[in-house]
């Protein structure tokens, strides 16, 4: 604000030492002028040039998926991503801030499907994969300008001109190299497992996708108790299920080997029922007559009549009772129906017991023609009422009750998921659990409890990562399968693919369908033709690959990668403990043997004034653009940093922003305005000895008024406290120290 030394005009008028301050604070006008100066003078670039050769402080940008306009929750994270790199730049570090765009995956595909009015994969294939993927590419690029504009407007310094794009050939080639490294250490395999599956999107989801916000929702559905008549005996098993649609695929019933079972009189009459003693009262009522005990060993091996005979079932072990420890008494009857096609525990028990797999469900999660009317063609969960009615008509339905439970949905299209047995490519993350836990110990988590809480628990219960997606817009899995000998060849670079295919492929788009057209001669049998398998990689694998792939490592930029791995700092919201935070740790620990980040700032979620989650359906979403246009970025920045701990849900509402502006920014502005007014009237300058601002005749510094010495002391204390707070990633403590200084300055010193 100071404009230089006092000068005299020709007329003898002395210019003021300080530029006059408008009594009214116009943050928007001030920011507009400042942004123009930053742009015209390349201030961000200059800040990097002046730090050339300084020690590196490494920041990784978690790539946002630019398939829509950014919201207030994106501002929330980006402000913290700006704060700490600025601070460490001011501390003398070189902080390169390379931007990035997450371009692949279901979010983009679903957006394009909505534009085209598509409802399923068959429409995409009729439309053409090439045309569809071109639309996906255009969709991503459409919103990037909005993101760049917002990033600039909120005052975030980020290199968007040199940003990495996960859709680029360079990025994809690095992802292929990382995949190949995992392949070479036997960390990649194809398995037949039951996985969470979206029929609408036609693809499996990974376990950590089920950890995304909104994936699990409380639903109330019918749970039913069904008779399984036991062959050669005069009683029926009472079996409970919350998924009636899986009963046509039943092949066994499971009891707990340590559970006590009893035979009871059926309240509605008919053959006696067998269930766990501990569940009799809850299921049938306390007045139910118990006829006698039945040991679990007596039930094991018994054959029964299945609830439906809609699907031909082969196998000597079909429709028998087996025992397993997974059966509990938490709810139900203590006897569990097994359908190995639709439950991973069911599949594991079935594999051990030699049970057949019955799967009358197609890849759209609909019953196929083998079931016949009225079930064929229906989404499986929509068939529940008809199946329940059929059981009632057959005299096999004992009881139907509403059951409220948390059920998984596709986090992108909201469709209820099913668990479905299918071939899927996996990363052996569970085999590396100890490595992941070891690396987590060296990470500083903010807040600290995430380390051994939400994230540590996730690692402790790690399951293999389902990597393959039966989709179109993504990094193609670089595996070619021989048509003759079925040998799989993993490709780790474009050069290797060019050599094996006998074609120069440099510059070819590595997406589908172009890469699908490339065949190679099988290196195993030497004569067969190998074709690329169809799936693409989970887009989380793309984002987890960014430390290396952003530099096209190892094909170039080896030194840049070397000095910028691992990162000193990453920051996202808490849902990324099962998203980007996890995929980063998994990919890089399995490939490089170490964590790719040292410090994590894990933010809570944005909520509205009343504590409700923001959503379009509730109508409580805040568009950041009007807030910035009317109140300014500094108002929003200060509010986000100062209105409470970032580890707790952040209430965001315009009245709160206004109040924070009034209490701090306006107070600071008015205090400075007061100072400028009277400093100019008195002709004061910082060098005046009489004011305590300079040296006396002896050359020694004048100690000045006691209040002057006190406010200087407060300034030094505030500097110390803010520095300490930001060194420990505690922005809230830093803002508290600043607010206290301005309160002292305004209410005591002035």
């Amino acid at each position: 604000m100071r404009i230089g030394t006092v000068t005299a005009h020709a007329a003898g008028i002395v210019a003021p030492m300080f530029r006059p301050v408008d009594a009214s604070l116009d943050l928007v006008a001030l920011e507009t002028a400042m942004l123009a100066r930053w742009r015209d003078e390349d201030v961000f670039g200059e800040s990097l040039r002046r730090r050339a050769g300084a020690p590196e402080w490494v920041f990784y940008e978690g790539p946002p998926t630019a398939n829509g306009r950014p919201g207030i929750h994106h501002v929330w994270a980006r402000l913290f991503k700006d704060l700490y790199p600025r601070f460490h730049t001011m501390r003398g570090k070189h902080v390169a801030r390379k931007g990035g765009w997450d371009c692949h995956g279901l979010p983009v595909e679903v957006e394009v499907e909505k534009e085209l009015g598509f409802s399923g994969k068959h429409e995409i294939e009729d439309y053409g994969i090439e045309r569809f993927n071109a639309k996906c590419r255009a969709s991503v690029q459409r919103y990037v300008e909005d993101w760049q504009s917002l990033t600039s407007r909120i005052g975030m310094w980020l290199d968007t001109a040199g940003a990495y794009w996960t859709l680029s050939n360079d990025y994809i080639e690095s992802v292929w190299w990382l995949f190949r490294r995992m392949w070479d250490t036997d960390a990649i395999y194809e398995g037949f497992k039951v996985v969470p599956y979206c029929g609408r999107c036609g693809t499996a989801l990974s376990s950590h996708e089920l950890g995304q916000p909104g994936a699990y929702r409380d639903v109330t559905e019918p749970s039913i108790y069904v008779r399984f008549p036991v062959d050669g005996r005069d009683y029926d098993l009472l079996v409970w299920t919350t998924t009636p649609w899986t009963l046509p695929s039943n092949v066994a019933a499971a009891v707990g080997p340590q559970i006590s079972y009893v035979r009871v009189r059926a309240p509605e009459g008919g053959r006696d029922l067998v269930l766990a003693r501990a569940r009799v009262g809850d299921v049938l009522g306390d007045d139910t007559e118990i006829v006698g005990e039945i040991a679990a060993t007596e039930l094991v091996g018994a054959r029964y009549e299945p609830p439906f005979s809609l699907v031909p079932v082969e196998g000597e072990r079909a429709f028998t009772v087996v025992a397993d420890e997974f059966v509990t008494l938490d709810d139900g009857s203590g006897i569990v129906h097994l359908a190995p096609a639709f439950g991973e525990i069911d599949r594991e028990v079935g594999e051990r017991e030699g049970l057949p797999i019955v799967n009358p469900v197609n890849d759209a999660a609909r019953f196929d023609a083998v079931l016949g009317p009225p079930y064929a063609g229906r989404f499986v969960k929509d068939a529940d009422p008809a199946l329940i009615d059929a059981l009632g008509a057959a005299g096999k339905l004992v009881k139907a009750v509403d059951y409220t439970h948390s059920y998984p949905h596709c986090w992108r299209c909201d469709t209820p998921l099913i668990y479905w047995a299918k071939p899927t490519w996996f990363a052996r993350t569970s085999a590396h659990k100890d490595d992941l836990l070891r690396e987590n110990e060296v990470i500083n988590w903010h807040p600290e409890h995430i380390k051994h809480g939400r994230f540590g628990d996730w690692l402790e219960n790690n399951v293999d990562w389902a990597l393959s997606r039966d989709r179109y817009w993504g990094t193609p899995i670089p595996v070619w399968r021989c048509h003759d000998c079925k040998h799989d060849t993993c490709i780790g670079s474009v050069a290797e693919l060019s050599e094996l295919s006998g074609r120069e492929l440099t510059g070819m788009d590595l997406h589908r369908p172009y890469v699908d057209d490339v065949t190679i001669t099988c290196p195993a049998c030497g004569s067969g033709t190998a074709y690329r398998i169809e799936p693409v990689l989970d887009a989380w694998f793309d984002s987890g690959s960014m430390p290396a792939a952003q530099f096209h490592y190892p094909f170039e930029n080896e030194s840049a990668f070397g000095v910028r791995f691992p990162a000193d700092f990453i920051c996202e919201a808490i849902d990324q403990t099962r998203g980007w935070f996890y995929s980063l740790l998994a990919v890089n620990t399995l490939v490089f043997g170490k964590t790719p980040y040292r410090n994590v700032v894990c933010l809570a979620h944005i909520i509205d004034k009343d504590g409700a989650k923001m959503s379009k359906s509730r109508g409580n979403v805040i568009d950041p653009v009007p807030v910035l246009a009317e109140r300014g970025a500094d108002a929003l920045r200060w509010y986000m940093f100062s209105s409470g701990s970032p580890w707790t849900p952040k209430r965001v509402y315009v009245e709160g922003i206004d109040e924070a502006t009034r209490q701090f920014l306006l107070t600071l502005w008015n205090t400075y305005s007061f100072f400028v007014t009277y400093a100019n009237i008195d002709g004061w300058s910082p060098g005046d000895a009489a004011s305590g601002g300079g040296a006396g005749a002896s050359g020694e510094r004048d100690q000045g008024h006691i209040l002057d010495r006190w406010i200087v002391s407060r300034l030094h204390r505030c500097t110390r406290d803010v520095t300490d707070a930001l060194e420990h990633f505690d922005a809230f403590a830093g803002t508290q120290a600043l607010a206290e200084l301005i309160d002292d300055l305004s209410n005591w010193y002035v």
Side-chain angles (χ1 to χ4, degrees), residues 26 32 36 196 694:
D26 189 341
T32 301

Side-chain angles (χ1 to χ4, degrees), residues 223-225 238-243 254-256 259 261 275-284 326-337 399 401-406:
S223 69
I224 58 175
Y225 293 85
L238 184 62
V239 179
W240 179 67
T241 182
T242 60
T243 54
V255 295
I259 294 176
Y261 291 90
L275 72 162
R277 173 184 284 277
R279 297 298 300 162
V280 172
D282 288 336
V283 176
L284 299 175
F326 86 87
V327 181
T328 70
L329 298 173
D330 295 338
D331 43 29
S333 64
I335 305 177
V336 178
H337 116 83
K399 187 178 182 181
V401 295
D402 284 341
Y403 179 70
T404 300
H405 61 141
S406 185

Side-chain angles (χ1 to χ4, degrees), residues 71-222:
I72 198 77
H73 57 294
H74 297 114
V75 174
W76 170 230
R78 289 178 102 66
L79 292 181
F80 283 88
K81 293 178 187 183
D82 184 60
L83 173 65
Y84 297 111
R86 278 182 183 273
F87 169 72
H88 282 279
T89 298
M90 295 170 71
R91 298 281 282 165
K93 303 292 181 62
H94 181 265
V95 188
R97 279 160 266 182
K98 188 179 182 70
W101 306 113
D102 194 5
C103 308
H104 289 147
L106 273 175
V108 182
E109 290 199 40
V110 170
E111 180 80 12
V112 172
E113 285 186 71
K114 289 178 181 177
E115 285 181 24
L116 296 173
F118 291 173
S119 59
K121 291 170 65 176
H122 68 282
E123 292 173 294
I124 295 173
E125 295 184 359
D126 290 343
Y127 183 76
I129 297 174
E130 182 177 9
R131 293 173 66 197
F132 181 76
N133 278 356
K135 287 277 189 183
C136 290
R137 182 186 293 270
S139 177
V140 171
Q141 294 171 333
R142 177 187 316 149
Y143 293 108
V144 163
E145 186 175 337
D146 288 335
W147 280 83
Q148 290 173 327
S149 175
L150 178 83
T151 299
S152 172
R153 183 63 189 89
I154 63 174
M156 181 184 188
W157 281 358
L158 188 70
D159 178 12
T160 55
Y164 64 88
W165 295 65
T166 63
L167 58 73
S168 73
N169 272 6
D170 285 352
Y171 197 97
I172 291 172
E173 186 176 29
S174 290
V175 173
W176 280 7
W177 179 83
L178 291 161
F179 186 91
R180 171 64 178 272
R181 287 287 299 271
M182 293 168 65
W183 176 281
D184 289 343
T185 58
D186 197 33
I188 301 291
Y189 70 97
E190 185 182 30
F192 187 78
K193 290 190 176 184
V194 176
V195 291
Y197 183 85
C198 176
R200 184 247 171 265
C201 295
T203 192
L205 284 77
S206 63
S207 58
H208 53 274
E209 284 180 285
L210 298 189
Q212 296 305 302
Y216 276 90
R217 304 173 194 175
D218 286 341
V219 297
T220 301
E221 301 176 301

Side-chain angles (χ1 to χ4, degrees), residues 31-46:
E31 292 165 5
T32 301
M34 185 62 67
L35 289 171
R37 186 175 78 83
W38 286 358
R39 181 183 63 250
D40 296 342
E41 299 178 15
D42 188 24
V43 174
F44 173 38
E46 181 64 17

Side-chain angles (χ1 to χ4, degrees), residues 629-648:
E630 296 167 11
R631 292 168 169 81
D634 276 333
L636 185 57
R637 289 174 70 105
W638 179 255
Y639 177 76
M640 291 294 199
F641 295 141
S642 68
S643 60
S645 168
W647 332 131
T648 57

